[in-house]
Amino acid sequence: MSTTAAAHDPSAARSNGHFSKHDASHRPHPIEDVFSTDVYTERAMQQRLPKDVFKKLQRTIKQGERLDPELADVVASAMKDWALERGASHYTHWFQPLTGQTAEKHDAFMVPDGHGGALSEFTGSALVQGEPDASSFPSGGLRATFEARGYTAWDCTSPVFINRSGGSATLCIPTAFVSWTGEALDKKTPLLRSMEALGEQALRVLKIFGTDANVSRVMATVGAEQEYFLIDREYYFQRPDLITCDRSIFGAKPPKHQQLEDHYFGAIPSRVLAYMSECERDLYRLGVPVKTRHNEVAPCQFELAPLFETANIACDHQMLVMETLKRVAPRHGLQCILHEKPFAGINGSGKHLNWSMSTDTGVNLLDPRDETHTNMQFLVCLCAVIRAVDLHADLLRASVASANNDHRLGANEAPPAIMSIFLGDMLSDIVDQLEAGTPKSTLKGGKLDLGARTLPQIPRHTGDRNRTSPFAFTGNKFEFRAVGSSASVAWPATVLNTIVAESLDFVATELEKSVGPKANEAKLQQVVRALLQKIVKQHKRVIFNGDGYDKAWHDEAAKRGLLNHRDSVRALSVISAKKNIDLFKKYKVLNKVEVESREHIFIEKYVKQVLIEAEMGVLIGRTQILPAAIRQQSELAEVVAATEAADVDATDARAHLEQFASEVNRLRIAIAKLDEITSEHATDAHEHAAHIRDKVRPALADLREVVDSLEVQISSDLWPLPTYREILLIK
Ligand SMILES: [Mg+2]
């Protein structure tokens, strides 16, 4: 057996010591002692700040008032003391450029004292504003490359925290990132703007219903479930495709994968559980309310889900979740893969974005409550969302488009690319009643008798769940299920907030107009019913409760005139359509150049990602697969020669050799074709992206087909890569 083969022998990985080292039981600290210990919480601020400063800062944080610059020095100094006590030596403005990752540049608290010593310092201006060199972040034409200046500005609505990594502790200050001219170069700034737009319009609706007492803000809330793969790190390092592309571009389907459905919700392997516990401990320290963990459908696939939070904080926390999952894995001999489709033939990973709206007094505007048909405010919010999804399905689809997610959306594991809404039986029934005029009843679920006296009767929901819908109402929120597992949720949340803000604006304007200044309850009810009837009639085509995987739905959706942008190039190209530029502009979320820059950046990213994959395909094909195939061919040729020399009939061996040699030729041709097509270039970004979609991706798929076919023909001691069979069945 060659050394390569021995290195990816599963038994070698099992005995590599990770189990004994990391499976040791630990006594967890009570959650109260751990949660938010590395977060500069409201309580920590209250303990450290003068009363009046604390109050003013809280008004900024909670009511969105502008921060008084005079306070900054006091706030910064207290924050520094808190951070130093926790071992921090540096601080950083932590921001989210359009790369989809987070960015940080550390500065030490240390300043020379002028007498040969040093002391620690952190000024208000260093807290409030930073100036990283912006020239190497994608700007999508927002500025020329020689214009390097960019600013970061403290977002005090998301708590400051301490990041611990590599034995070092760093004070992280969540910030917005803008260009010298003030254009948003990040994901946070438009998200914050969209939250303001949504809050403003939602408040108008509350005022109409007279439910705005004590409410000063309405906020979007988000909870993002994260799916991910964990594989043994030893295998990871032997797969250049996984290292470079975060997904395998070759790999034959193993005999056993997910067909027995024995992984989903199965007992969590002990090494993985140890890993999950450590991730949770780290995330608790950062105040991230992770709640649920389980095995997912595909082998080696898992999920983590948090409780919902204010959208801005949830999006920051989501970035921390991804970072933590990645960072902790090596300590357990594991590699965490966040890619949407790391392995072909088995399920990929998504990130369900749970979304709702909530007042600062704690009322969830998407809670239907018991007698839903009487809950007109809820029905207004519901219909506003239905209208928003129907009118802006293009943007919603675009918000989840990426080269990665193209492997997933539309395959029979993830929702289709058609943006439809699942409402369930109870709400669908009420929507039907609204369409007919006056809703008179709410369907009840009743009880489920399980037949055994020892088992309790359990309440039953009015309808089943639907896993195939991209946008589903799930009890008291919507679940946007088309988001990719490696994506930041900030952009889809920004789009959702903006399109719903537009719908709430429409509804509020219509109602204010019709109700008039002397509204009474009866008049209001009548006007609301009439408006909702109109909305349902116009937009009910977007509601679909059936099987989203079914081909019949795709035909039906086309008849209803619903968009079906199957690939990202098509989907992304609508971002800067006039309708969308106008929409973002009207609600002050993005101006025209900011919208256009996003389309440009996302298209460019698509191109670059697929090109990297194609180049890796050519490289691995030429330097690993082809040499292995040639060795196999030469062995087969030797067999034919030796058999014939021994004067034994070699007909079968010769036929085998001929067949194999023709496969090797196919491989050569496929590599050469991919190489050639990859080097072809169009100057226009959209044309280039279309070339990548129409030519490069199919050529890579063709190469994969040949390679995967060779994988099951070539001797395992010659095959240069760990196989799916080995990678995916390791616990
Ligand atoms: Mg899941």
Coordinates of all heavy atoms in Angstrom, one line a residue, residues 223 225 352-355 465 469-474 477-482:
G223 N -33.4 35.1 13.5 CA -32.7 34.0 14.1 C -32.3 33.1 12.9 O -33.1 32.8 12.1
E225 N -30.6 29.8 11.5 CA -30.1 28.4 11.7 C -29.0 28.1 10.8 O -29.0 28.4 9.6 CB -31.3 27.4 11.5 CG -32.5 27.7 12.3 CD -33.7 26.9 11.8 OE1 -33.6 26.0 11.0 OE2 -34.9 27.3 12.1
H352 N -31.5 28.8 7.4 CA -32.9 29.3 7.5 C -32.9 30.6 8.2 O -32.4 30.7 9.4 CB -33.8 28.3 8.2 CG -34.1 27.1 7.4 ND1 -34.9 26.1 7.7 CD2 -33.5 26.7 6.2 CE1 -34.9 25.1 6.8 NE2 -34.1 25.5 5.9
L353 N -33.4 31.6 7.6 CA -33.4 33.0 8.2 C -34.9 33.2 8.7 O -35.8 33.4 8.0 CB -33.1 34.0 7.1 CG -33.2 35.5 7.5 CD1 -32.3 35.8 8.6 CD2 -32.9 36.3 6.3
N354 N -35.0 33.1 10.1 CA -36.3 33.3 10.7 C -36.4 34.8 10.9 O -35.5 35.4 11.5 CB -36.3 32.6 12.0 CG -36.3 31.1 11.8 OD1 -37.3 30.5 11.5 ND2 -35.2 30.4 12.0
W355 N -37.5 35.3 10.5 CA -37.7 36.8 10.4 C -39.0 37.2 11.0 O -40.1 36.6 10.7 CB -37.5 37.3 9.0 CG -37.6 38.7 8.8 CD1 -36.6 39.6 8.8 CD2 -38.8 39.5 8.5 NE1 -37.1 40.9 8.6 CE2 -38.5 40.8 8.4 CE3 -40.2 39.1 8.4 CZ2 -39.4 41.9 8.2 CZ3 -41.1 40.2 8.2 CH2 -40.7 41.5 8.1
R465 N -46.0 20.7 8.6 CA -44.9 21.6 8.1 C -44.7 21.3 6.6 O -45.1 20.3 6.1 CB -43.6 21.3 8.9 CG -43.6 21.8 10.3 CD -42.4 21.3 11.0 NE -41.2 21.7 10.5 CZ -40.5 22.7 11.0 NH1 -40.9 23.4 12.0 NH2 -39.3 23.1 10.4
S469 N -40.9 24.7 0.9 CA -41.2 26.1 0.5 C -40.0 27.0 0.9 O -39.4 26.9 1.9 CB -42.4 26.5 1.3 OG -42.7 27.9 1.1
P470 N -39.7 27.9 0.0 CA -38.6 28.8 0.3 C -38.9 29.9 1.3 O -38.0 30.5 2.0 CB -38.3 29.5 -1.1 CG -39.6 29.4 -1.8 CD -40.3 28.2 -1.4
F471 N -40.2 30.1 1.5 CA -40.6 31.2 2.4 C -41.9 30.8 3.2 O -43.0 30.8 2.6 CB -40.9 32.5 1.6 CG -40.8 33.7 2.4 CD1 -39.6 34.3 2.6 CD2 -41.9 34.3 2.9 CE1 -39.5 35.5 3.3 CE2 -41.8 35.5 3.6 CZ -40.6 36.1 3.8
A472 N -41.7 30.3 4.4 CA -42.8 29.6 5.1 C -43.2 30.3 6.4 O -42.3 30.8 7.1 CB -42.4 28.2 5.4
F473 N -44.5 30.4 6.6 CA -44.9 31.0 7.9 C -44.8 29.8 8.9 O -45.4 28.7 8.7 CB -46.4 31.5 7.8 CG -46.8 32.2 9.1 CD1 -46.4 33.5 9.3 CD2 -47.5 31.5 10.1 CE1 -46.7 34.1 10.5 CE2 -47.8 32.1 11.3 CZ -47.5 33.5 11.5
T474 N -44.1 30.0 10.0 CA -43.9 28.9 10.9 C -44.3 29.4 12.3 O -43.5 29.5 13.2 CB -42.4 28.4 11.0 OG1 -41.6 29.6 11.1 CG2 -42.0 27.7 9.7
K477 N -43.6 33.7 12.8 CA -42.5 34.3 12.1 C -42.5 33.7 10.7 O -43.1 32.7 10.4 CB -41.1 34.0 12.7 CG -40.9 32.5 12.8 CD -39.7 32.1 13.6 CE -39.7 30.7 14.1 NZ -39.8 29.7 13.2
F478 N -41.7 34.3 9.8 CA -41.5 33.7 8.5 C -40.1 33.1 8.5 O -39.2 33.6 9.1 CB -41.6 34.7 7.4 CG -43.0 35.0 6.9 CD1 -43.8 36.1 7.4 CD2 -43.7 34.1 6.1 CE1 -45.1 36.2 7.0 CE2 -45.0 34.2 5.7 CZ -45.7 35.3 6.1
E479 N -40.0 32.0 7.7 CA -38.7 31.3 7.7 C -38.3 31.4 6.2 O -38.9 30.8 5.3 CB -38.9 29.9 8.1 CG -37.6 29.2 8.5 CD -37.9 27.9 9.2 OE1 -38.8 27.8 10.0 OE2 -37.2 26.9 8.9
F480 N -37.2 32.2 5.9 CA -36.7 32.3 4.6 C -35.6 31.2 4.4 O -34.6 31.3 5.0 CB -36.1 33.7 4.4 CG -35.7 34.0 3.0 CD1 -36.2 33.3 1.9 CD2 -34.8 35.1 2.8 CE1 -35.7 33.6 0.6 CE2 -34.3 35.4 1.5 CZ -34.8 34.6 0.4
R481 N -35.9 30.2 3.6 CA -35.1 29.0 3.7 C -34.1 28.9 2.5 O -33.5 27.9 2.4 CB -36.0 27.8 3.7 CG -36.8 27.6 4.9 CD -37.9 26.7 4.6 NE -38.6 26.3 5.8 CZ -39.8 25.7 5.8 NH1 -40.4 25.4 4.6 NH2 -40.4 25.3 6.9
A482 N -34.1 29.9 1.7 CA -33.2 29.8 0.5 C -31.8 30.3 0.7 O -31.0 30.3 -0.1 CB -33.9 30.5 -0.7

